[in-house]
Amino acid sequence: MAAAPDSVNAGKLAVVGFAGIVFTYFCVLMLQGLYFREVDIQWNDKVVDVPNEVSDAALAEQMHRLRSYAVVDEQAGTYQIPIEQAMKTVADQIGN
């Protein structure tokens, strides 16, 4: 019994090989697109859409403290003045 010669159809092999390369390339592109979409979603969830931890009431209280007069330590002679007044006083002292 004689061995049959190996016959490989080179044309079919080239077409199947090229189709496999193209299919693999498009799969990689699709996975890369999905990856970058998920990265963008994570960025938005963790950085952009982070809720502000300071409440409006806390901000209002801080603004009130920045704009009001108060006694901090009467024994030491420490008093609180509005921030605008403090900046003007310091600027006037530096200017003279």
Side-chain angles (χ1 to χ4, degrees):
M1 187 165 185
D6 289 334
S7 63
V8 176
N9 188 344
K12 281 185 178 179
L13 183 62
V15 168
V16 169
F18 182 74
I21 291 170
V22 170
F23 178 74
T24 303
Y25 178 75
F26 282 114
C27 286
V28 168
L29 285 179
M30 294 291 287
L31 289 172
Q32 191 174 23
L34 288 172
Y35 170 76
F36 285 120
R37 190 183 105 204
E38 287 300 316
V39 166
D40 188 45
I41 290 171
Q42 290 292 317
W43 174 263
N44 286 336
D45 288 347
K46 293 179 180 179
V47 177
V48 177
D49 296 333
V50 175
N52 192 358
E53 297 294 326
V54 180
S55 69
D56 290 338
L59 289 174
E61 193 273 329
Q62 291 172 358
M63 291 304 293
H64 173 71
R65 288 186 62 201
L66 283 173
R67 294 179 176 154
S68 64
Y69 292 91
V71 177
V72 176
D73 186 3
E74 193 167 3
Q75 295 289 358
T78 307
Y79 300 95
Q80 172 184 314
I81 63 172
I83 190 70
E84 291 88 7
Q85 181 65 35
M87 289 189 295
K88 184 178 177 187
T89 303
V90 170
D92 290 343
Q93 289 175 353
I94 292 173
N96 291 332

